[in-house]
């Protein structure tokens, strides 16, 4: 494969952006190669600047559950754009999208549209603190909740490969109230509640972790979080930025049958445009301005083009119930091929990760035991054969309904070649 043009573009990008990128993992530092520059995408395929074609299992890190350039979504966006890119004012589309979200996520009695997952989670935590009048929050090692100051502690995703346990530039005071627990370890949560009686505002969790690689919740873990937060009058926040509309139409909370007090959504809900959502119990959301004293605002919030993309995407997912069955079937086929190739796979629906460790991966330390050099070899092996996956061990592989059976089969064949 020729990558001359990508290499040229990368050398130019390095002059303008830190590491040549607008988001760290894209620099591909963890897999020992330079990034490929993308020219266009369609269906389950992505094309780089040199004209190489790949089957795409990154799917923009989740949003593209329908694949790239789904005609209904593109035409909805074009139609919206023709009426104006932004008004900074109320429009009907916001109500229709909110209605659809609430129908899928009944726990979100009231919600706000924002522009990124980072913003959604940050705002949900602020509302939880405002509502409870408490400062301390509990998060789990290896869970990523965006890059706001207070949540950048053992945060997973790009922070795991960079050997950065926490970001610099964050004053100690900002993370002092962030308490760390271990994923799938109920005892670690119990201890924090015992040591901080009546001080915990909220517990925030990825109900199926996907930013230290995929780590599903063990039986009883989410149930425990539901119970202990209820008993202590703390708010339970599900960060469903990845899992929302992916594990099922109603997200992880529908799949596992647990109702959180608040939820953050992103990625799929924007259909490929910058849009995210936070919401939850009415009494908590009524603390948000202008009704209450928790301030949160946005010039581009509810942007009509983004709302159109999100709405068109959700309409398709809502109508075609076979989508989730298809995703399950295709993902199970990939999992089977990986397991046959001797890989250690965690999978939850259309999210999967092959971990290069012998340990069963159930939390941050076991995920960290993975051999990232070996993962880098695997990544380069796949890329050279036209399979585009996440350039980091600690991310998920995303399957979309645009992945054809032939392409899944081809991917399985290449994976079994790796075993030889
Ligand atoms: C991607 C992600 C975020 C951050 O969303 P951005 O849109 O990148 O700011 C937050 N939480 C989870 C679980 C995510 O996967």
């Amino acid at each position: 494969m020729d990558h001359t043009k990508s290499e040229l573009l990368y050398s130019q990008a390095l002059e303008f952006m830190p590491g040549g990128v607008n988001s760290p993992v894209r620099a591909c530092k963890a897999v020992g190669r330079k990034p490929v520059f993308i020219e266009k995408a369609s269906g389950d395929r992505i094309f780089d600047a040199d004209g190489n074609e790949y089957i795409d299992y990154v799917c923009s890190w989740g949003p593209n559950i329908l694949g790239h350039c789904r005609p209904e979504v593109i035409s909805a966006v074009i139609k919206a754009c023709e009426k104006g890119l932004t008004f900074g004012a109320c429009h009907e589309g916001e109500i229709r999208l909110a209605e659809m979200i609430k129908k899928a996520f009944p726990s979100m009695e009231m919600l706000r549209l924002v522009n990124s997952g980072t913003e959604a989670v940050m705002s949900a935590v602020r509302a939880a603190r405002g509502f409870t009048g408490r400062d301390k929050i509990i998060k789990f090692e290896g869970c990523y909740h965006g890059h706001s100051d207070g949540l950048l502690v053992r945060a997973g995703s790009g922070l795991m490969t960079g050997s950065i346990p926490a970001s610099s530039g964050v004053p100690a005071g900002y993370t002092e109230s962030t308490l760390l627990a271990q994923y799938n370890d109920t005892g670690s949560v119990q201890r924090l509640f015992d040591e901080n009686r009546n001080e915990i505002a909220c517990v925030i969790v990825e109900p199926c972790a996907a930013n230290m690689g995929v780590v599903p919740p063990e039986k009883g873990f989410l149930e425990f979080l539901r119970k202990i937060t209820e008993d202590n009058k703390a708010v339970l926040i599900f960060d469903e930025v990845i899992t929302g509309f992916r594990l099922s139409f109603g997200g992880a909370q529908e799949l596992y049958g647990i109702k959180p007090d608040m939820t953050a959504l992103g990625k799929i809900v924007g259909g490929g445009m910058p849009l995210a959502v936070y919401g939850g119990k009415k009494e908590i959301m009524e603390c948000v301005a202008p009704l209450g004293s928790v301030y949160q605002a946005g010039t581009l919030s509810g942007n009509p083009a983004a709302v159109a993309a999100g709405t068109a995407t959700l309409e398709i997912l809502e109508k075609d119930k076979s989508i989730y069955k298809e995703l399950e079937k295709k993902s199970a086929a990939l999992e089977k091929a990986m397991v046959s190739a001797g890989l250690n796979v965690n999978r939850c629906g259309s999210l999967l990760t092959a971990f290069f460790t012998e340990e069963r991966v159930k939390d941050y330390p076991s995920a960290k035991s993975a051999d990232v050099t070996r993962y880098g070899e695997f990544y380069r092996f796949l890329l050279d054969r036209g399979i585009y996956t996440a350039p980091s061990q600690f991310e998920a592989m995303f399957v979309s309904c645009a992945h054809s059976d032939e392409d899944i089969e081809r991917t399985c064949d290449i994976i079994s070649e790796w075993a030889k």
Side-chain angles (χ1 to χ4, degrees):
M1 249 183 222
D2 180 24
H3 289 112
T4 318
K5 182 112 188 264
S6 274
E7 279 171 27
L8 176 69
L9 291 172
Y10 182 52
S11 66
Q12 292 173 4
L14 285 170
E15 296 189 25
F16 298 102
M17 289 164 281
V21 293
N22 285 313
S23 198
V25 178
R26 295 180 197 171
C28 296
K29 284 215 172 358
V31 288
R33 84 178 309 293
K34 291 172 183 166
V36 294
F37 276 64
I38 304 305
E39 166 102 20
K40 59 178 183 181
S42 172
D44 68 354
R45 301 299 177 107
I46 195 159
F47 301 83
D48 72 14
D50 293 281
N52 302 307
E53 184 174 346
Y54 311 87
I55 304 172
D56 177 18
Y57 291 101
V58 179
C59 292
S60 190
W61 306 94
N64 294 327
I65 192 169
L66 301 174
H68 298 274
C69 292
R70 177 85 174 213
E72 297 95 316
V73 179
I74 301 296
S75 67
V77 172
I78 291 173
K79 238 168 85 186
C81 289
E82 282 168 351
K83 293 186 188 166
L85 288 182
T86 172
F87 315 129
C90 308
H91 64 98
E92 185 176 346
E94 300 172 304
I95 311 171
R96 300 300 151 240
L97 179 57
E99 219 170 15
M100 290 185 79
I101 295 167
K102 186 174 166 179
K103 202 169 141 208
F105 289 77
S107 70
M108 299 175 83
E109 297 166 5
M110 263 188 162
L111 55 89
R112 267 276 163 85
L113 306 184
V114 294
N115 306 289
S116 70
T118 295
E119 202 185 342
V121 176
M122 180 186 83
S123 309
V125 170
R126 185 179 299 154
R129 283 174 161 154
F131 174 71
T132 56
R134 302 171 179 173
D135 288 342
K136 292 183 180 170
I137 67 173
I138 295 180
K139 88 171 273 291
F140 294 89
E141 289 192 17
C143 282
Y144 179 67
H145 303 295
H147 63 89
S148 68
D149 287 332
L151 292 165
L152 278 183
V153 194
R154 295 271 166 86
S157 193
L159 289 102
M160 276 181 83
T161 46
S163 312
I164 322 173
S167 170
S168 62
V170 177
Y174 285 45
T175 50
E176 250 165 38
S177 357
T178 306
L179 311 176
L180 277 179
Q182 202 65 256
Y183 202 77
N184 278 326
D185 178 356
T186 55
S188 69
V189 181
Q190 182 72 57
R191 274 193 296 281
L192 291 175
F193 270 98
D194 291 346
E195 290 160 10
N196 300 274
R197 286 242 161 262
N198 302 321
E199 289 184 282
I200 309 289
C202 64
V203 172
I204 180 157
V205 66
E206 289 183 71
C208 172
N211 283 292
M212 48 178 151
V214 176
V215 180
E218 286 178 351
K219 224 174 151 50
F221 178 60
L222 297 175
E223 287 80 358
F224 174 84
L225 297 183
R226 180 61 285 181
K227 172 107 188 13
I228 196 165
T229 45
E230 239 160 39
D231 291 349
N232 290 276
K233 297 193 167 50
V235 174
L236 178 62
I237 306 177
F238 274 9
D239 181 348
E240 296 226 40
V241 171
I242 281 189
T243 54
F245 303 105
R246 177 163 289 277
L247 296 189
S248 75
F249 190 62
Q253 52 198 271
E254 178 180 83
L255 180 71
Y256 299 119
I258 307 279
K259 199 170 168 181
D261 302 308
M262 295 196 80
T263 301
L265 300 169
K267 300 193 167 116
I268 292 174
V269 78
M273 297 283 277
L275 188 153
V277 186
Y278 77 98
K281 276 195 179 143
K282 206 167 165 210
E283 67 212 80
I284 303 175
M285 289 306 287
E286 281 176 346
C287 295
V288 176
L291 284 185
S293 54
V294 173
Y295 199 71
Q296 178 267 312
T299 303
L300 293 176
S301 291
N303 174 270
V307 164
T311 307
T313 301
L314 300 197
E315 274 170 356
I316 294 169
L317 293 174
E318 188 183 28
K319 225 174 5 212
D320 188 354
K321 293 291 178 215
S322 69
I323 284 179
Y324 293 96
K325 276 192 204 108
E326 277 293 303
L327 285 173
E328 175 65 26
K329 205 179 84 195
K330 287 168 186 169
S331 313
L334 288 172
E335 179 187 14
K336 189 162 165 244
M338 288 177 175
V339 170
S340 307
L343 297 172
N344 179 4
V345 185
N346 275 3
R347 180 173 77 86
C348 191
S350 54
L351 298 169
L352 59 165
T353 301
F355 285 100
F356 287 80
T357 174
E358 301 294 315
E359 277 185 52
R360 186 173 67 86
V361 177
K362 59 173 176 49
D363 55 16
Y364 184 81
S366 47
K368 279 295 266 185
S369 75
D371 180 346
V372 293
T373 307
R374 192 80 180 124
Y375 179 84
E377 287 165 14
F378 182 59
Y379 169 86
R380 296 194 302 274
F381 178 90
L382 295 180
L383 192 79
D384 289 343
R385 285 155 187 82
I387 309 292
Y388 186 81
T389 58
S392 162
Q393 166 73 93
F394 307 111
E395 304 285 352
M397 192 168 172
F398 294 89
V399 183
S400 80
C401 57
H403 282 101
S404 67
D405 291 336
E406 295 74 41
D407 283 353
I408 294 283
E409 225 170 277
R410 199 169 127 200
T411 309
C412 291
D413 289 346
I414 291 170
I415 289 168
S416 47
E417 249 176 69
W418 159 262
K420 286 172 197 156

